Amino acid sequence: GEQRWLKHLVDDLGGKRPRWGFAGAPLLAGGLLVVEPGGDGSSLVALDPATGDERWRAGSDKAGYSAPVLFPHGEGKGVAIFNAFGLVAYSLENGGELFRQRWETDYDVNAATPLYYAGHFFVCSGYGTGGGLISVKGETPELIYETRDAIAQFQSPVRVGEHLYIVSGDNSKKSRLACLNFVDGSLAWSEKLGGNRGNVIAIGDKLIAVSERGEAILCAASPEDFTELGRFQASRPNVWAAPAFAGGIFYVRNNDGSLQAWDMR
C-alpha cells in the first residue's frame, strides 16, 4: 500500500487538461504503462510501471476521453488512441507513429473506446456524429463505412462474433440497444431503452444493457432479434458508467457515486 512513484499528467508529463478533465484509463502492456497527457510533444507517454521512468513520448494531439487500445501491427504491437483529432496509433515499442485517421466531433469529445477486430477499428461518437469502420490493413487507414445507428457520447460497443452491440443515443437522440453487422454496418435490430444513454457488456452469449435510468436488461447476444431474458432496477438514475461483471456479481455505479453489487448466480 505504500506509494512507489507519482507522475502528474500536466506538471511532469507536459499534458494539457481537456475541457471535462482527464478520463481515459491507462494501458498496461508490453512492460509499459501508457497514459494520455494530451500535450504538445506528449500526446501519449509510456512509463516504466515499476519506477515511473519515462520510456517514450509521442504526438501533439489534444487528449480525448477514451482509453488506449492495444492491437497487433505487423510483427509487433501498436497502441491506438481516440483523441480530439481522431484515431491515432503508435508503436508500443518506441512510440513511432503508425497512422492517423481524422474523426471530427463537436467539442472534441471522442470518448468511446475503439473496438479492434481483424485489421479494422470501429469508432463512434456522440453529438449526432455516429460511428464508422476504419481499415488499418494497408499503408494508410481507410474509412469503410459510416453509420448513424451508433451515436455514442461515451458508451463503448462490444463485439460477439461478426456483430457489434451498442447503446446508441445522446442529448439529440433517445437511447436504443442496437445490433450491427461489423463488416458492413447494417442494422440487424434495435430496441428502445430508457433515457438518452446507456451501456452494454457481453458475458458469453448474453448481453446486459444498463439504461441511463438504471434499469438492467438481460438479453441474448444474437443478430436474429432482440430476445429479452429478464430485467430489474439495478440502480437509481442517472447511470453513465459502464457496468462490470465478475464471479457472478454484477456491479453498477450511478452518477452520484453509489455502487450496487447484485448476486446474479
Side-chain angles (χ1 to χ4, degrees):
E2 295 181 0
Q3 181 176 292
R4 295 288 188 88
W5 56 266
L6 174 68
K7 293 289 183 181
H8 194 283
L9 292 178
V10 177
D11 297 341
D12 298 322
L13 302 181
K16 183 178 180 180
R17 180 186 182 278
R19 181 174 181 177
W20 286 282
F22 293 103
L27 171 69
L28 183 65
L32 297 173
L33 183 71
V34 182
V35 296
E36 186 189 18
D40 187 6
S42 59
S43 181
L44 277 190
V45 175
L47 305 172
D48 184 319
T51 65
D53 294 340
E54 186 175 317
R55 293 295 179 239
W56 54 256
R57 61 173 61 194
S60 295
D61 298 307
K62 295 178 182 178
Y65 303 89
S66 180
V69 175
L70 185 70
F71 69 100
H73 186 270
E75 296 182 357
K77 297 288 186 180
V79 55
I81 188 68
F82 198 33
N83 57 33
F85 173 86
L87 184 69
V88 185
Y90 301 93
S91 165
L92 178 65
E93 181 182 10
N94 56 31
E97 185 171 304
L98 301 176
F99 61 78
R100 59 177 48 234
Q101 173 68 43
R102 183 77 171 114
W103 190 266
E104 188 173 2
T105 307
D106 288 351
Y107 312 108
D108 292 335
V109 178
N110 289 324
T113 302
L115 177 61
Y116 177 84
Y117 176 57
H120 295 77
F121 278 98
F122 184 85
V123 298
C124 48
S125 299
Y127 304 97
T129 301
L133 189 71
I134 301 168
S135 172
V136 295
K137 288 184 174 182
E139 292 288 328
T140 58
E142 178 186 1
L143 182 62
I144 304 300
Y145 66 75
E146 294 183 75
T147 174
R148 300 269 295 179
D149 290 316
I151 295 174
Q153 190 170 346
F154 50 73
Q155 53 268 35
S156 302
V158 296
R159 180 186 63 85
V160 180
E162 297 297 319
H163 289 78
L164 62 88
Y165 301 86
I166 187 170
V167 176
S168 179
D170 64 5
N171 284 333
S172 66
K173 186 178 181 182
K174 295 293 184 180
S175 67
R176 303 185 72 91
L177 176 62
C179 172
L180 286 78
N181 185 292
F182 186 90
V183 175
D184 61 19
S186 59
L187 180 66
W189 54 259
S190 70
E191 181 72 15
K192 289 183 180 180
L193 298 179
N196 296 77
R197 305 163 186 84
N199 286 282
V200 61
I201 58 174
I203 306 168
D205 60 352
K206 295 181 177 61
L207 307 171
I208 300 181
V210 179
S211 73
E212 186 176 49
R213 296 174 181 171
E215 188 175 38
I217 299 101
L218 179 69
C219 64
S222 169
E224 299 302 320
D225 201 357
F226 172 75
T227 304
E228 182 180 320
L229 302 172
R231 67 173 64 205
F232 71 102
Q233 192 68 32
S235 173
R236 298 189 307 272
N238 285 324
V239 177
W240 284 15
F245 183 87
I249 308 298
F250 181 61
Y251 301 89
V252 183
R253 180 174 63 83
N254 69 11
N255 291 10
D256 293 331
S258 175
L259 177 67
Q260 304 287 329
W262 297 91
D263 191 335
M264 305 282 279
R265 291 170 293 183

